[in-house]
Amino acid sequence: MPAPIRLRELIRTIRTARTQAEEREMIQKECAAIRSSFREEDNTYRCRNVAKLLYMHMLGYPAHFGQLECLKLIASQKFTDKRIGYLGAMLLLDERQDVHLLMTNCIKNDLNHSTQYVQGLALCTLGCMGSSEMCRDLAGEVEKLLKTSNSYLRKKAALCAVHVIRKVPELMEMFLPATKNLLNEKNHGVLHTSVVLLTEMCERSPDMLSHFRKLVPQLVRILKNLIMSGYSPEHDVSGISDPFLQVRILRLLRILGRNDDDSSEAMNDILAQVATNTETSKNVGNAILYETVLTIMDIKSESGLRVLAINILGRFLLNNDKNIRYVALTSLLKTVQTDHNAVQRHRSTIVDCLKDLDVSIKRRAMELSFALVNGNNIRGMMKELLYFLDSCEPEFKADCASGIFLAAEKYAPSKRWHIDTIMRVLTTAGSYVRDDAVPNLIQLITNSMEMHAYTVQKLYKAILGDYSQQPLVQVASWCMGEYGDLLISGQCEEEEPVQVTEEEVLDILESVLISNMSASVTRGYALTAIMKLSTRFTCTVNRIKKVVSIYGSSIDVELQQRAVEYNALFKKYDHMRSALLERMPVMEKVTTNGPTEIVQTNGETEPAVLETKPPPSGLQPTSQANDLLDLLGGNDITPVIPTAPTSKPASAGGELLDLLGDLNLTASPAPVPAPQISQPPFLLDGLSSQPLFNDIAAGIPSITAYSKNGLKIEFTFERSNTNPSVTVITIQASNSTELDMTDFVFQAAVPKTFQLQLLSPSSSSIPAFNTGTITQVIKVLNPQKQQLRMRIKLTYNHKGSAMQDLAEVNNFPPQSWQ
Amino acid sequence: MQFMLLFSRQGKLRLQKWYVPLSDKEKKKITRELVQTVLARKPKMCSFLEWRDLKIVYKRYASLYFCCAIEDQDNELITLEIIHRYVELLDKYFGSVCELDIIFNFEKAYFILDEFLLGGEVQETSKKNVLKAIEQADLLQEVNFSFTRISQILFNPCIITGAYLFLQRSSAEQFGYFTVNIDVYVQWKFQQSGQKICW
């Protein structure tokens, strides 16, 4: 059989192939030849064949049939064979294949070979791809070589040990004795690899860390020698002596000095020296400075040193070299939390980096800018950030938008500014905004009551031309549905009011419904908005009816359901319609830890939820509701659940709906039925936080709210520190008669501007002779700080008969509601 | 360092060194994606990019891209120096290295890399030492070869006649045995026998 072609020949031949197919053909032919050669167990040319195989593997062709051959090469006595064999092992074998275990014995033998280059090959291979089993078997050999005086082998053994420790951390102890004299070496190779080994050990084990702390002086000395020593041609790079070693020592010092005052103190001087003396004209110098800065920021350095470090970073920011700027931004991001003020000084440079052409730099600058935003610079920063949002790449827009929302939420100087900013974000990056932005924005809008007209007007104008950005359209539809009346009445104080007719508003909402660009969710919003307008608009109700009935047969199930229910509202339950579609109540701000689902649903599903609660369940509490509503006096009452007067659509503040919802609660201390969305979220928030409220009761006297027939009810008050509109009333009911009062139910009603929540009572019977009390907590939300009034109704069984009483509580102390 | 890749402007892989265990399929996927990402970068952009959870440091030398993946705590700027040092080593070894040198002598490129880095870390910071080690290892390779050929000649009954080997103690005593300095003699012998020395 002719000798297999040489490697270079093969490479040359393959490169002449003009098409992929031609190349594949050549490769296949050669592979076949190689395979048959392998089968013949030809020792002479095995090396050559494997080399060729490795080349073909690099081109992307399968080469697994060469794996065993690599092992045979490794076992051979010839150095050439071993060299290629080990290379093949590193390229073709990995620890997933069982084959590699066969190498263990060969490597063991080679680690003890008489030729250092063979030993070197073995160490290199083990350190590159040794599996945990191999490492376990051979760790002893590596440890032996770590103690040899041959620096060529010692440095390789050190890095091999690093690999062993990474694979099998338990073996770390084994290498400890060998590390004793590592730093005494003169050879830079050994020094460098020793520092790497020490770093690895210190990172993995706190015990090792404390053990090696004593090396700090020695490390400082070595570093000093490197800096102070004259020109050494062997290790010089652009005038700096062995930068690789310097960087590694600095990194080790960082780990040793972290959280340790003494070590940090010991390295202060050298760090200052390196920071001031290093040449910064070339990348090498900057690499060392960068590592120095990282070290200074991480250890317990003195403030002067920290300032020095930040200034270095500031200088980096102005460097022409992009890489340096990038690195500076990254480091500043790490330090902005701890040294905020120092970093603030460089804010303008950082903001300039937003305009850089490089994507990585822009991202870093954006993150840093968000970290630097505070109450003082919010306006200026936001301008820059909005401009950035406009012009940046799509992959940034989502993060940027979220960042802007967060910053605006924290530092908005005024509600109008806040709404403007959010509008701007929605119009520029509307399609990239995250899903939770829509409900958050809606909540924000409802909370800024004075801005409703302004907001709805702006939103209307925004989607007039373009309704493709879904979040924007969703918010706009919702607002138009809620505040459409404000829109057409043209009562906007902040801006030039626009002249909009009902028809125009309906036009735009209908186009949203029809448009192909609208997502299903958006259509839902639009349909609901149209429905809501049926109570706010006067001339176009018929048109609305028509639209709604059309969608009763829509293919989209969600739309269809809504349309059908709205239709039903028009037909059978027209009397409920106006109350159902009343203005939304003010939502309390919910922290992100709180039960946010409540807020989300409020925006969209409230009307829908109400519809799914058709009259049958409503009739039963109606009578109770009516009674209490009589008590509060002066309200029109229609005998349905939502009994608010329909002629006052502009009423802001507490919905009676909430009231009735709460009454449902009190009637039976049963679990709250699911669609009780009207619970103001803040109260649930209060529930979840411990302690509930900070007691400012020291100033608030308690009152006796009711005292009759032996039943006494006392109110004690607490105000919330976090939310001044909330008052918590704890009622205590006691019984001074000789018989128990059973089935005790406490109900309360408050005027429209308040919101009320009654929690479950401690029990339902009050023992006689004042031996025990029933305790119940009432939470009252009083955003308008009006005088608190309450009507209470008590029902209980006493002496065999059912008792009932109504009373009004007027003697609330001023501190409880002011 | 987790891995180093060398590839041309057309995206052809010239060298791949992996310091983390990954399957062939994964390696191919990573290579493909990374090559695409790096080649898409404009010339004025900085040498660092975030990719998956790694930091990528790349530099272009003539028609070759040198691309390294480092971990979070590694220093990007010094990695650029590491890449530069490797290029210098190749340059010294091949004498004004170009892409073709690396294509046709890829195994040597690997050998040089393995003398410079081990397990992803720098093992020797002196250029001189790395090159010396490579030189000696190359010599060892050649000696091996010569020994083989000589033994073939010696055992060839047609040629055997007072073969005469000059042994010389070499300066590199670490070998443990002697380097054989018989080039001239062997060549002459081969000429006599009509055989050629070839690799």
Side-chain angles (χ1 to χ4, degrees), chain A residues 465-482:
Chain A
D466 163 34
Y467 37 88
S468 59
Q469 304 198 81
Q470 300 303 297
L472 178 62
V473 175
Q474 287 168 12
V475 176
S477 315
W478 190 91
C479 283
M480 288 197 286
E482 274 295 301

Side-chain angles (χ1 to χ4, degrees), chain A residues 460-567:
Chain A
Y460 173 76
K461 283 198 277 198
I463 70 167
L464 208 46
D466 163 34
Y467 37 88
S468 59
Q469 304 198 81
Q470 300 303 297
L472 178 62
V473 175
Q474 287 168 12
V475 176
S477 315
W478 190 91
C479 283
M480 288 197 286
E482 274 295 301
Y483 311 120
D485 48 317
L486 295 177
L487 185 57
I488 53 168
S489 66
Q491 38 162 262
C492 177
E493 298 136 15
E494 304 269 348
E495 254 192 18
E496 227 7 76
V498 287
Q499 300 300 331
V500 187
T501 64
E502 294 183 7
E503 296 284 339
E504 285 170 336
V505 175
L506 283 173
D507 279 340
I508 189 109
L509 283 172
E510 270 192 70
S511 357
V512 169
L513 259 180
I514 300 171
S515 162
N516 289 335
M517 296 185 279
S518 301
S520 177
V521 176
T522 315
R523 281 184 229 226
Y525 271 94
L527 188 60
T528 307
I530 292 179
M531 189 59 195
K532 283 191 205 171
L533 289 174
S534 70
T535 53
R536 290 149 174 71
F537 285 178
T538 44
C539 353
T540 42
V541 182
N542 284 330
R543 178 176 173 182
I544 293 176
K545 266 196 211 170
K546 222 168 52 173
V547 171
V548 166
S549 61
I550 294 174
Y551 281 90
S553 44
S554 157
I555 300 178
D556 184 330
V557 178
E558 173 72 23
L559 271 185
Q560 193 191 94
Q561 178 178 5
R562 284 175 197 227
V564 164
E565 286 169 357
Y566 294 156
N567 256 331

Side-chain angles (χ1 to χ4, degrees), chain A residues 6 8 79 322 326 358, chain B residues 44 46-47 50 104 144 199:
Chain A
R6 284 169 290 154
R8 320 274 177 240
F79 183 68
K322 276 197 191 317
Y326 174 89
D358 186 305
Chain B
K44 283 295 176 80
C46 78
S47 297
E50 297 96 30
F104 279 94
N144 253 204
W199 166 219

Side-chain angles (χ1 to χ4, degrees), chain A residues 165-185:
Chain A
I165 292 175
R166 281 183 188 155
K167 283 287 180 192
V168 193
E170 302 89 65
L171 291 174
M172 192 169 14
E173 302 282 318
M174 193 177 167
F175 295 105
L176 188 51
T179 61
K180 237 200 253 288
N181 294 319
L182 277 179
L183 289 184
N184 296 334
E185 271 277 349

Side-chain angles (χ1 to χ4, degrees), chain A residues 444-738:
Chain A
L444 173 69
I445 293 176
T446 51
N447 279 337
S448 10
M449 291 185 280
E450 63 282 6
M451 304 294 304
H452 286 166
Y454 169 72
T455 313
V456 68
Q457 191 169 285
K458 268 200 99 122
L459 284 166
Y460 173 76
K461 283 198 277 198
I463 70 167
L464 208 46
D466 163 34
Y467 37 88
S468 59
Q469 304 198 81
Q470 300 303 297
L472 178 62
V473 175
Q474 287 168 12
V475 176
S477 315
W478 190 91
C479 283
M480 288 197 286
E482 274 295 301
Y483 311 120
D485 48 317
L486 295 177
L487 185 57
I488 53 168
S489 66
Q491 38 162 262
C492 177
E493 298 136 15
E494 304 269 348
E495 254 192 18
E496 227 7 76
V498 287
Q499 300 300 331
V500 187
T501 64
E502 294 183 7
E503 296 284 339
E504 285 170 336
V505 175
L506 283 173
D507 279 340
I508 189 109
L509 283 172
E510 270 192 70
S511 357
V512 169
L513 259 180
I514 300 171
S515 162
N516 289 335
M517 296 185 279
S518 301
S520 177
V521 176
T522 315
R523 281 184 229 226
Y525 271 94
L527 188 60
T528 307
I530 292 179
M531 189 59 195
K532 283 191 205 171
L533 289 174
S534 70
T535 53
R536 290 149 174 71
F537 285 178
T538 44
C539 353
T540 42
V541 182
N542 284 330
R543 178 176 173 182
I544 293 176
K545 266 196 211 170
K546 222 168 52 173
V547 171
V548 166
S549 61
I550 294 174
Y551 281 90
S553 44
S554 157
I555 300 178
D556 184 330
V557 178
E558 173 72 23
L559 271 185
Q560 193 191 94
Q561 178 178 5
R562 284 175 197 227
V564 164
E565 286 169 357
Y566 294 156
N567 256 331
L569 259 189
F570 270 124
K571 299 205 170 64
K572 275 170 57 184
Y573 302 105
D574 205 39
H575 45 274
M576 293 209 307
R577 183 165 51 90
S578 37
L580 258 176
L581 303 172
E582 253 279 311
R583 184 82 89 219
M584 207 63 77
V586 173
M587 292 177 241
E588 256 302 305
K589 201 90 170 106
V590 177
T591 59
T592 42
N593 310 333
T596 48
E597 328 74 70
I598 308 292
V599 182
Q600 319 295 40
T601 54
N602 248 338
E604 171 48 27
T605 61
E606 177 171 342
V609 169
L610 285 176
E611 289 133 271
T612 56
K613 217 172 42 164
S617 63
L619 289 173
Q620 162 241 89
T622 306
S623 45
Q624 288 178 336
N626 281 339
D627 296 337
L628 279 172
L629 290 171
D630 287 340
L631 303 181
L632 290 171
N635 294 328
D636 299 337
I637 294 150
T638 42
V640 290
I641 315 174
T643 51
T646 60
S647 53
K648 298 191 207 143
S651 67
E655 276 267 86
L656 277 174
L657 220 50
D658 304 334
L659 190 56
L660 292 164
D662 298 327
L663 290 177
N664 275 337
L665 241 191
T666 64
S668 52
V672 180
Q676 276 301 345
I677 27 74
S678 51
Q679 284 177 36
F682 79 105
L683 297 175
L684 288 174
D685 224 8
L687 260 183
S688 53
S689 61
Q690 311 261 352
L692 273 183
F693 289 100
N694 292 322
D695 195 67
I696 327 180
I700 311 179
S702 50
I703 59 169
T704 305
Y706 175 91
S707 182
K708 215 157 109 178
N709 297 333
L711 174 63
K712 190 163 94 156
I713 300 188
E714 284 207 15
F715 284 9
T716 43
F717 303 95
E718 281 174 21
R719 297 294 295 275
S720 161
N721 250 349
T722 49
N723 190 344
S725 338
V726 174
T727 310
V728 178
I729 307 174
T730 313
I731 69 156
Q732 291 217 333
S734 54
N735 172 8
S736 57
T737 66
E738 330 79 63

Side-chain angles (χ1 to χ4, degrees), chain A residues 669 731-733 744 759-766 772-777:
Chain A
I731 69 156
Q732 291 217 333
F744 181 84
L759 306 185
S760 307
S762 57
S763 79
S764 63
S765 86
I766 320 178
T773 60
I774 290 183
T775 319
Q776 198 165 2
V777 175

